[in-house]
Amino acid sequence: MKKFLRTNEFYVAVILILLCVFIGIKSPVFFSLQNVFDLLRSSITMGIFAMGTLIVIISGGFDVSFTAIAVSSMYITIKILFAINYEGSFLVALIISALIGLLMGLINASIIGFFRIPTLIATLGTQSLFHGFLLFFIGSKYINNVPDGMLRFSRSNLITTVTPTGAITGLQSGILILVAVVIVVYLLLRFTMIGRNIFAIGGSREAAERSGINVIRTQFFIYGFVGMLAGIGGIIHGAHYKQGNPFDLVGTELNTIAAVVLGGALVTGGRGTVLGTLLGVALVVVMNNSLILIGVPSEWQKVVLGIILIIGTGIPAYQNMQAAKRVKTNLAE
Amino acid sequence: MAEKFLEVKNISKSFAGVHALDDVSFEVRKGEIHCLVGENGSGKSTMIKIIAGVYEPDEGEIIISGKSYKRLHPIDTIREGIQIIYQDFSLFPNFTVAENIALNKQLSENRKFFHKKEAQQVARAALESINIKMDLDSLVGTMSVADKQLIAISRALLQDAKLIIMDEPTTALTGREVKSLFKVINDLKARGISTMFVSHKLNEVLEIADRTMVFRNGKKIIDADAKEFDQSKMVYYMTGRKIESDSYDFGDQNKSGTPLLSLNNLSSTGRFKDVSFDLYKQEVIGVTGLLGSGRTELALALFGINPADKGSIQIEGKAVKINNPQDALKHGIGYVPEDRLTEGLFLEHSIGNNIVVSIVNKLLSKIGLIDKNTKQKEIDTWVKDLSIKTDSADNPAKSLSGGNQQRVVLAKWLASNPRMLILNGPTVGVDIGSKSELHEIIKRLAGEGLGVLVMSDDIPELLHICNRILLMRGGKIVDEFQASQITENELAEKLAEG
């Protein structure tokens, strides 16, 4: 328990609760079922992206191309489905988009694995590459409609209630996909050897190689998997907004990375948890969606996010420094 | 005699035409503690890497348990039961003790799933087999070097090791930790597991070895029963020459007058407390103590990196404040850090630039540009004076051996014409030939009027170069000795006390 009080998860949870209480007091609408459902709906795509980012950061890497992968997978999928006039299940759209994402992820992996380019540089390059490729070869036109399957998905709810004003609101079923992704990533990191390998590479790449871990194969898994998650997140995002916008998402990757880092993942690799990441996502989503409720102008949301990011990561760092000092004091007295 | 486990036959290996190993043969028997000693560049690491399967030998063969290999692959080495513990241990700082110990076994069994409980069982059993108790859930990154070593050994044992090769295992260990490492090695021997102990610390080799071999310039010079060696013989085989060392004779003649440096109850919260002593011109004072005793902290305070917060510092009778390295420089204090690779040198830059880096402003011509001729003259002087071995001062500093790098760091400070030098672990990682030359340089400089403070736990070194030795423990000076009136053993005992 004492140990838990010193984790990042704890601080993020405290900040999150304080923020919610504060907003709730100022604006009771915050705790209405409709607002909670809205917040959950907004967490779905960022949550899925964050799970991918978490894996990359644990392995000691950085991926900034996932938004470009997401928007490309989404846009290409919508184009394909319109072209073949497919009006069936959303599942098909999901699979196509996931496969396109996987393919792009594997391109990332090849560049990182074979040419040994630092991951941040490689994905900066591919972000531009994928997005430019999309705009030039596939199309740069805004599509203000999505195929029927996606439309039905975005309207489907798990639970529905009627608000006091008479409107119908519900919990969007995409949350199930997020839950599934979270469970898969949790099991992967906690109970599989590939998960061990990811932590090992993030801890010390050289030691991992000497232990006989195939680092390049592991990187293929990581970036392929992350690409796939980006494809899944992208198509859900498209469905939620009922549009195919080729200029969407790209540029928002830092929000996701901030959420993961807030959740306690170490940017130098080797450490990070699913629970912490979920808390980080919740914090960022609440700030992005609810500060407006208490009259904070949207420009200020960025400032607040920055402050919370610095405080949230600064407190544990400061504590470590204090702990290190304490050890030495014992020696001298 | 026990049966042969490993036999190395006529192995040669060249890199770009230079013989790293030249027709080397030896054998390691079951349960034997086989020591390999040699200076830097003698071929020790090349030999380890050939046995590890990292390098392919040009000629020769390796026979393990009767099976002959022209070249080994890493996986062969592991399957044959040879485990190598590198200097950095190849551990994962972000894993717990249990996770680290169990990982290799899980990998070699080609597991798909990981169970925490099972890892803990495996790790506990492995640690018990060498009679060590440790918290299995601690993060390895927070543990001491000695503990990391034990973790690496127990991890090696899990892979059914029959021979464990340890590359410079005691570099960062304190005396007591070395003792417990030796106990573990002897236990392994009792179980029929061989150890190859690669080191340049001769007293340790003399203590532990069953058999010792010496490499020099890629050749095996001698390979004999350990009983046939003593320290001077080993030094002779390693360097090819006799090295003699006298202790530093300072005398008391200079003790009258104002001390060069005078500390009065100097304290730094949490680091050291009430440190007082005087350092005179031409004097070499050794400050010793175990890791964490405060000796490094004191050095850092005197150079202004972590300034002291109480007490006073006087230089030639005048009270001064040293709040940052610039202050220290102003008062003529030079500092040679413990880790010259990261703190003392610009490795990628030329030897020459490294030497003049702290005196660049003295080299400027009238128009404010660096005067090439003055610079070159300065560089040539120091390369010659400290006999830095290099073809050209334009080579990068990283091309030098440890001992020569240390001379470049020294030259850098001497060029700034200091009154006082603080040397922190001046010969850590420097091989024995260079070491005694460095010692002579230090003594000579002191003789010429410098005051020198040496932070070290290398007992022979302290006795050779210092006239006085201060012992620190728990941040305080607890004892003081005249170097001429104490023996190595007495000092070693004092050091280990408390």
Side-chain angles (χ1 to χ4, degrees), chain A residues 134-214:
Chain A
L134 174 78
L135 297 178
F136 190 80
F137 289 102
I138 311 294
S140 53
K141 264 201 227 103
Y142 172 81
I143 304 171
N144 66 353
N145 192 9
V146 290
D148 264 7
M150 287 172 70
L151 220 51
R152 285 199 302 277
F153 165 77
S154 85
R155 286 181 186 139
S156 68
N157 290 318
L158 286 182
I159 318 164
T160 44
T161 54
V162 182
T163 61
T165 54
I168 296 172
T169 178
L171 178 59
Q172 211 276 317
S173 24
I175 198 86
L176 285 179
I177 301 177
L178 173 61
V179 170
V181 167
V182 167
I183 292 173
V184 168
V185 170
Y186 178 78
L187 296 177
L188 181 85
L189 290 177
R190 192 72 188 268
F191 295 111
T192 68
M193 278 312 282
I194 190 110
R196 290 279 91 193
N197 293 356
I198 293 169
F199 276 102
I201 293 172
S204 165
R205 187 186 164 120
E206 201 181 6
E209 277 169 351
R210 281 186 190 158
S211 311
I213 293 173
N214 190 331

Side-chain angles (χ1 to χ4, degrees), chain B residues 347-365:
Chain B
L347 286 173
E348 305 291 333
H349 283 257
S350 74
I351 296 164
N353 281 340
N354 269 292
I355 292 175
V356 298
V357 65
S358 59
I359 53 158
V360 170
N361 50 0
K362 288 189 204 158
L363 303 176
L364 300 182
S365 63

Side-chain angles (χ1 to χ4, degrees), chain A residues 52 55-56 59 63 69 98-99 101-117 119 188 194 197-198 201 205 213-229:
Chain A
I55 293 177
V56 174
S59 79
D63 181 356
I69 295 180
L99 287 177
L102 174 67
L103 189 76
M104 292 183 174
L106 291 176
I107 294 174
N108 272 340
S110 320
I111 294 170
I112 290 162
F114 294 137
F115 301 110
R116 284 213 168 202
I117 299 174
T119 54
L188 181 85
I194 190 110
N197 293 356
I198 293 169
I201 293 172
R205 187 186 164 120
I213 293 173
N214 190 331
V215 174
I216 293 181
R217 201 163 69 195
T218 310
Q219 283 180 327
F220 266 86
F221 174 84
I222 294 168
Y223 292 93
F225 187 75
V226 169
M228 193 182 78
L229 289 184

Side-chain angles (χ1 to χ4, degrees), chain A residues 190-193 196-197 199-200 203-204 206-208 210-211 213 270 328-329 331-333, chain B residues 86 88 90-95 99 103-104 106-107 111-114 270 273 292 297 474:
Chain A
R190 192 72 188 268
F191 295 111
T192 68
M193 278 312 282
R196 290 279 91 193
N197 293 356
F199 276 102
S204 165
E206 201 181 6
R210 281 186 190 158
S211 311
I213 293 173
K328 282 200 171 158
T329 316
L331 275 169
E333 290 312 313
Chain B
Y86 293 95
D88 64 358
S90 300
L91 293 172
F92 299 98
N94 55 331
F95 280 10
E99 289 168 339
L103 182 73
N104 284 26
Q106 292 164 334
L107 284 170
R111 290 296 186 83
K112 292 278 174 284
F113 295 101
F114 168 78
K273 216 177 164 189
E297 289 74 12

Side-chain angles (χ1 to χ4, degrees), chain B residues 423-441:
Chain B
L423 308 171
N424 196 355
T427 57
V428 172
V430 171
D431 58 44
I432 198 145
S434 288
K435 192 168 165 177
S436 69
E437 286 172 30
L438 268 171
H439 287 165
E440 291 314 311
I441 293 173

Side-chain angles (χ1 to χ4, degrees), chain B residues 251-450:
Chain B
D252 275 336
Q253 70 276 21
N254 297 302
K255 270 215 168 174
S256 51
T258 332
L260 188 58
L261 171 78
S262 177
L263 303 184
N264 211 333
N265 290 325
L266 200 67
S267 306
S268 174
T269 314
R271 299 196 170 92
F272 54 85
K273 216 177 164 189
D274 293 335
V275 172
S276 308
F277 64 85
D278 294 337
L279 171 74
Y280 288 86
K281 259 190 164 184
Q282 299 191 340
E283 197 174 25
V284 183
I285 295 185
V287 179
T288 189
L290 299 175
L291 227 54
S293 62
R295 59 183 157 95
T296 295
E297 289 74 12
L298 177 63
L300 293 179
L302 290 178
F303 193 58
I305 294 172
N306 292 320
D309 42 31
K310 275 193 225 96
S312 67
I313 303 173
Q314 291 186 337
I315 287 179
E316 289 181 336
K318 268 181 254 153
V320 297
K321 285 258 173 274
I322 300 177
N323 287 326
N324 49 48
Q326 288 75 30
D327 287 347
L329 284 178
K330 209 171 65 195
H331 297 300
I333 300 175
Y335 174 62
V336 177
E338 204 165 17
D339 184 354
R340 61 182 170 271
L341 297 186
T342 56
E343 295 172 23
L345 282 176
F346 301 98
L347 286 173
E348 305 291 333
H349 283 257
S350 74
I351 296 164
N353 281 340
N354 269 292
I355 292 175
V356 298
V357 65
S358 59
I359 53 158
V360 170
N361 50 0
K362 288 189 204 158
L363 303 176
L364 300 182
S365 63
K366 277 179 201 142
I367 53 164
L369 295 176
I370 293 176
D371 184 329
K372 271 202 181 142
N373 292 331
T374 327
K375 177 181 159 189
Q376 198 54 46
K377 248 190 1 228
E378 190 74 29
I379 292 170
D380 291 343
T381 317
W382 291 111
V383 168
K384 201 166 142 236
D385 194 45
L386 299 184
S387 28
I388 296 167
K389 289 186 197 74
T390 178
D391 309 336
S392 154
D394 295 333
N395 291 340
K398 67 175 179 188
S399 68
L400 294 173
S401 70
N404 279 303
Q405 285 179 350
Q406 194 68 313
R407 286 173 211 212
V408 174
V409 182
L410 265 180
K412 177 175 95 177
W413 286 112
L414 294 174
S416 72
N417 203 11
R419 285 185 279 189
M420 189 167 97
L421 269 183
I422 303 169
L423 308 171
N424 196 355
T427 57
V428 172
V430 171
D431 58 44
I432 198 145
S434 288
K435 192 168 165 177
S436 69
E437 286 172 30
L438 268 171
H439 287 165
E440 291 314 311
I441 293 173
I442 295 170
K443 287 195 228 174
R444 194 189 82 211
L445 293 169
E448 288 167 10
L450 218 61

